[in-house]
Amino acid sequence: MKNKKMWMWKFFTYIPFLIIALIIGSIHAWLFVQEKVAPYPAPYGRATVLPQMTTDGIAAQKVGDGQFAYRTGASLTYARIDETGLAALETRPLPDQGLFNSYVLSSAGAVWVGDGGRLYASEWKGGSWQNKHTLIDPQVKGVRAAEGADGADGAVWLAYNEQAVFVLKRTVDGAAQWSKLDIPDVSEAKASLNNAGNLDVVYVATKEGRASLGYVQLDKTSWRPLQQQTQLKEVELASFNHLDDFSFVREGSTIEAAYTISSSKSGKSSLHLLTFAADAPALSTAGVADTQLQIPVTDAVNSDTNLEPVFHRMPSGEIQLVVSAVYEKNRRLTSQELYAIGIQGGKPSSTMPITHAGGFAVYPTMLAVDGHTAVVWLEAAGEGEYRVNYATDQPAYAQRMNRWTGTDYVNAIKTAPLLWGIGLLTALLSLKWIVLPTLYLLALNAFRQHHYDEHPRLHFGLSLGMYLAVKVLLLGDYRKPATLAVMPEALRSWLVYLAIVAVIAVISYALTRIWRKGLDERNVGLELLYFVLLDGFMTNLWFSYFVSLASL
């Protein structure tokens, strides 16, 4: 019987620590999911990750209303988003088993730069690719589709090499015509049909450490320039700087072009916005406004990594500039997310994050979906692979996706070892709480042994009071600004802190009273030690979720 009692006492010595760890761990998991997931991104819902990754580090391509496509190794993946936000996937082989470089995809065909730098095209009919054919004779290094030129009148593409830019139009009957623009050193070119049917072309030319953005407007019938091509902006680049990405949109008679300049040395990139009157008879750099756009991360810090700007016209007619930029919810939740910048009259009117995936969101694509909008983006998943994510602002989609999942809790549980490791370090702070009561009991035992033995309740109470008094006085160690920054607002006040300390002390005292029943006689030192272990364990485990290592 005595052995059984001893076994039960030893069992009860350790079981409270396990129960405490499970309870606090569960609360931490809930807090972490709440912190990471909420608030849900608005107006788009939580991200859907498609099962097929892409092996090209370029944005997915629009191929129709609610449709996009991307390359997956030796195949192409086509996605169609329905009225509820669900995506149906179709896999097609590549149209060319040889070189398949820069390419433009549509639901009915593909255009690409293939072997020998030739520009090829093929149609998708009857579930297979038709024989490829050459569109133009000159060798090219890149091809792009013109925005707004995929309707009943056919498709328009831009191709370019080191000497010229080529404009190609293919009518619905299959006939192709092309025109050549003598613009040398082009490294990227993009085009869009305007309301008059003419073609706005913005390009980047790079030569001898200088990059320049240029513009030309082409007549809708002859594809010849309506005015002399104009250099809008010249940027002198250091050996480690480069003009990365650009996008443009027309708003009335004004064209707005966004571009980024990146540094391979610092890894940072800045976002700029050019505005100019496109229909002026004679354009000049004097009429071009260049503004550096700032995306606020916090009240005092702006994003220093701005990537892949893309303009999009919302169903309401509002123009938005979508860009990948730094997002910081708090000191431990920093990610690269997509922001939407409202543009009115060539100036930013609003800025808000539209994704909250917690990773590194890049290469955005914006789609119209039955009067709504979808955003597609990539996230690096390993060497040469990217996860493809999308989200929409359809009410049915948000209703389905804006909820916590089992994966959220699993990811939260995985953080427990790190948090509790911080708790081991914060335990060093709590060593100060025990110094005074320890000295008191040692002195009492040395000089008033009989009093120590005859009044255990008194001296346990006094030593316990000293411990709690010192703990409250030094509680500021757990209230550093970095700690409060990640703490829910309801828990930040001194009153709540003291209430937490009181609850932990009451639980520790109650468990200590039960535990000491297993002792043959009262032992103040041993009882205080057990109380301190329980109290310190709960306190440091609880605050480990909030405390910053940098503040220790």
Side-chain angles (χ1 to χ4, degrees):
M1 190 70 178
K2 185 176 181 181
N3 290 337
K4 183 178 179 181
K5 181 180 179 182
M6 180 61 66
W7 182 88
M8 290 294 294
W9 179 72
K10 288 183 178 179
F11 176 77
F12 189 80
T13 299
Y14 304 108
I15 200 65
F17 293 91
L18 178 59
I19 295 173
I20 289 166
L22 289 175
I23 293 173
I24 294 181
S26 299
I27 297 173
H28 283 177
W30 183 87
L31 286 172
F32 189 80
V33 173
Q34 175 75 15
E35 178 182 338
K36 191 170 179 63
V37 173
Y40 298 119
Y44 304 92
R46 295 189 69 184
T48 295
V49 183
L50 296 180
Q52 284 89 347
M53 295 188 185
T54 179
T55 49
D56 280 353
I58 60 174
Q61 297 189 21
K62 294 181 286 187
V63 295
D65 188 79
Q67 301 175 63
F68 61 95
Y70 56 92
R71 181 175 180 176
T72 305
S75 63
L76 299 172
T77 299
Y78 285 73
R80 179 191 294 269
I81 301 173
D82 66 17
E83 65 277 3
T84 66
L86 290 172
L89 303 182
E90 175 191 357
T91 300
R92 301 179 185 178
L94 292 180
D96 193 345
Q97 298 306 308
L99 192 65
F100 190 79
N101 270 349
S102 178
Y103 53 88
V104 174
L105 303 176
S106 69
S107 58
V111 176
W112 69 96
V113 179
D115 294 330
R118 302 296 182 185
L119 190 64
Y120 296 100
S122 177
E123 291 182 285
W124 179 262
K125 284 185 178 180
S128 64
W129 293 105
Q130 306 303 297
N131 291 334
K132 69 179 182 181
H133 55 275
T134 306
L135 288 178
I136 58 175
D137 292 328
Q139 295 184 354
V140 296
K141 63 180 182 180
V143 62
R144 294 287 182 269
E147 289 284 337
D150 54 358
D153 294 332
V156 177
W157 305 290
L158 286 186
Y160 51 90
N161 58 25
E162 287 78 5
Q163 291 81 37
V165 175
F166 304 91
V167 184
L168 300 92
K169 180 174 182 179
R170 189 171 188 179
T171 58
V172 291
D173 60 5
Q177 52 184 277
W178 60 279
S179 176
K180 176 183 176 183
L181 301 174
D182 293 320
I183 306 176
D185 307 312
V186 171
S187 58
E188 181 64 280
K190 297 181 180 180
S192 177
L193 282 183
N194 57 37
N195 290 336
N198 300 325
L199 193 66
D200 294 317
V201 179
V202 177
Y203 58 88
V204 175
T206 306
K207 185 178 181 180
E208 298 176 351
R210 291 178 178 271
S212 59
L213 275 164
Y215 168 76
V216 63
Q217 184 176 178
L218 306 181
D219 178 73
K220 60 185 175 182
T221 56
S222 65
W223 300 123
R224 304 308 302 168
L226 290 175
Q227 76 256 81
Q228 186 176 358
Q229 60 203 48
T230 303
Q231 178 179 293
L232 303 172
K233 176 72 177 181
E234 185 176 69
V235 180
E236 186 171 355
L237 302 174
S239 59
F240 46 80
N241 286 351
H242 42 97
L243 196 154
D244 260 343
D245 310 286
F246 79 92
S247 177
F248 78 93
V249 69
R250 176 185 276 259
E251 188 176 8
S253 62
T254 300
I255 283 185
E256 296 145 2
Y259 66 94
T260 59
I261 295 179
S262 299
S263 168
S264 57
K265 184 177 181 180
S266 66
K268 304 182 186 307
S269 57
S270 56
L271 176 65
H272 302 259
L273 180 66
L274 286 178
T275 57
F276 59 94
D279 297 330
L283 290 175
S284 67
T285 54
V288 178
D290 186 11
T291 306
Q292 182 172 346
L293 300 183
Q294 302 290 357
I295 299 176
V297 178
T298 65
D299 293 338
V301 178
N302 294 318
S303 172
D304 58 6
T305 306
N306 307 295
L307 308 169
E308 294 100 29
V310 173
F311 279 105
H312 176 69
R313 198 179 300 272
M314 301 293 289
S316 63
E318 177 193 4
I319 292 175
Q320 285 189 346
L321 176 61
V322 178
V323 61
S324 170
V326 176
Y327 173 78
E328 182 180 310
K329 186 172 185 180
N330 55 47
R331 59 172 167 80
R332 65 179 168 212
L333 289 181
T334 300
S335 55
Q336 191 81 8
E337 304 290 352
L338 300 184
Y339 284 76
I341 304 173
I343 303 293
Q344 291 184 350
K347 296 181 179 180
S349 59
S350 62
T351 302
M352 67 174 182
I354 58 174
T355 66
H356 189 187
F360 201 92
V362 288
Y363 301 112
T365 301
M366 304 298 292
L367 303 172
V369 186
D370 295 328
H372 292 276
T373 303
V375 54
V376 184
W377 70 94
L378 308 186
E379 183 180 350
E383 187 173 353
E385 288 189 321
Y386 297 82
R387 280 185 289 271
V388 181
N389 305 262
Y390 79 89
T392 84
D393 61 2
Q394 297 160 293
Y397 177 86
Q399 184 178 6
R400 183 176 66 254
M401 295 300 298
N402 288 353
R403 61 186 63 187
W404 296 0
T405 66
T407 302
D408 295 325
Y409 284 102
V410 170
N411 292 334
I413 291 170
K414 289 179 180 178
T415 65
L418 174 62
L419 296 176
W420 294 354
I422 296 174
L424 292 175
L425 296 176
T426 59
L428 298 174
L429 298 174
S430 59
L431 292 178
K432 295 180 288 186
W433 308 341
I434 196 65
V435 173
L436 182 60
T438 300
L439 292 176
Y440 167 75
L441 291 179
L442 288 175
L444 190 66
N445 191 51
F447 301 108
R448 300 288 302 274
Q449 175 71 47
H450 66 283
H451 203 277
Y452 175 86
D453 294 335
E454 292 174 2
H455 303 282
R457 177 180 295 182
L458 172 64
H459 298 302
F460 177 76
L462 289 174
S463 58
L464 187 61
M466 294 177 190
Y467 169 84
L468 292 175
V470 174
K471 178 181 178 179
V472 170
L473 289 174
L474 299 179
L475 201 57
D477 292 338
Y478 295 79
R479 287 184 55 82
K480 300 294 178 63
T483 300
L484 296 176
V486 297
M487 186 175 288
E489 190 171 350
L491 301 179
R492 295 177 187 173
S493 71
W494 264 108
L495 186 62
V496 173
Y497 259 69
L498 293 175
I500 291 172
V501 169
V503 169
I504 291 175
V506 169
I507 294 173
S508 300
Y509 179 74
L511 291 172
T512 301
R513 288 200 61 172
I514 297 172
W515 173 82
R516 78 184 183 196
K517 291 179 180 179
L519 298 176
D520 293 330
E521 58 182 18
R522 294 292 302 268
N523 187 320
V524 175
L526 204 56
E527 292 174 29
L528 181 65
L529 176 62
Y530 189 72
F531 174 89
V532 166
L533 289 174
L534 281 171
D535 183 85
F537 179 74
M538 273 191 282
T539 301
N540 288 290
L541 196 62
W542 170 255
F543 284 108
S544 66
Y545 182 85
F546 310 106
V547 172
S548 167
L549 287 176
S551 66
L552 296 180

